[in-house]
Amino acid sequence: ELKVEQNPLFLSMQEGKNYTIYCNYSTTSDRLYWYRQDPGKSLESLFVLLSNGAVKQEGRLMASLDTKARLSTLHITAAVHDLSATYFCAVGPRGGYSTLTFGKGTMLLVSP
Amino acid sequence: NAGVTQTPKFRVLKTGQSMTLLCAQDMNHEYMYWYRQDPGMGLRLIHYSVGEGTTAKGEVPDGYNVSRLKKQNFLLGLESAAPSQTSVYFCASLTSGPTRDTQYFGPGTRLTVL
């Protein structure tokens, strides 16, 4: 059974600071996704990581994947208030029909 | 192009009542999914479909039934609602072709069972 663990589950940080969210998963997979969810809203796709060593960046967010360690990171650089949201990682099985297993989410609060 | 839509947006049921949630997508996607989201639990897969006329169980299928009679629609039914089914329900869809990469989510249905 695939298990996905995120940490931390809650992160309060000041604007301008850097931080990293971690996503560990328990079995071999070739697809890892990062989503953002604003309160009361749906999920917005941020990154899709499909191979070992993959790194993707969008603005102040950068995601990376290490399939050997079964670890993905979401790095936040110089945080701003607009990044406040809940971030989920999700892992898909190798092959199959893209059924995703989600982590519990990291609630990020960026304050001035 | 509306993407993934869900009907209704909100609903309150009494224990034992039944209802159907409708998910529709206009992207001609083969795969469709129903998830539930509970506080502190992330999203959990209820049922999914890999094509018209096919359905399969996910992680938490008990108490739910689904149907995919048309490619663009995926219905989630609760035959006898229970308070434990109070949740936010999200539908998602995905293409099955070589560009398959990310699931597109609907806006969600907030269901309360009293």
Side-chain angles (χ1 to χ4, degrees), chain A residues 72-107:
Chain A
S72 179
T73 61
L74 181 66
H75 187 72
I76 304 156
T77 301
V80 294
H81 178 70
D82 285 351
L83 290 179
S84 297
T86 297
Y87 294 85
F88 291 94
C89 68
V91 179
R94 180 160 285 182
Y97 298 110
S98 293
T99 54
L100 298 181
T101 300
F102 282 78
K104 293 184 178 181
T106 296
M107 183 181 294

Side-chain angles (χ1 to χ4, degrees), chain B:
Chain B
N1 190 336
V4 181
T5 58
Q6 292 183 232
T7 309
K9 289 185 170 51
F10 304 93
R11 186 71 185 269
V12 179
L13 290 179
K14 294 181 179 178
T15 297
Q17 288 185 318
S18 63
M19 78 163 295
T20 300
L21 282 68
L22 171 64
C23 175
Q25 52 93 4
D26 60 1
M27 297 175 283
N28 202 33
H29 285 173
E30 290 290 337
Y31 301 166
M32 296 185 74
Y33 310 83
W34 276 108
Y35 295 91
R36 61 176 288 173
Q37 183 178 29
D38 302 293
M41 296 293 292
L43 274 75
R44 293 180 292 169
L45 182 64
I46 305 171
H47 286 280
Y48 64 100
S49 168
V50 301
E52 183 178 320
T54 72
T55 62
K57 294 180 180 180
E59 180 187 354
V60 288
D62 294 342
Y64 305 96
N65 57 75
V66 288
S67 64
R68 183 101 180 266
L69 299 180
K70 294 182 178 180
K71 185 177 183 179
Q72 65 267 33
N73 295 338
F74 194 27
L75 278 63
L76 178 70
L78 287 73
E79 289 187 350
S80 180
S84 60
Q85 294 178 304
T86 293
S87 188
V88 180
Y89 292 86
F90 287 100
C91 175
S93 72
L94 175 73
T95 182
S96 62
T99 59
R100 172 166 62 116
D101 57 7
T102 191
Q103 295 186 11
Y104 296 88
F105 283 82
T109 295
R110 187 174 296 273
L111 175 66
T112 301
V113 183
L114 302 176

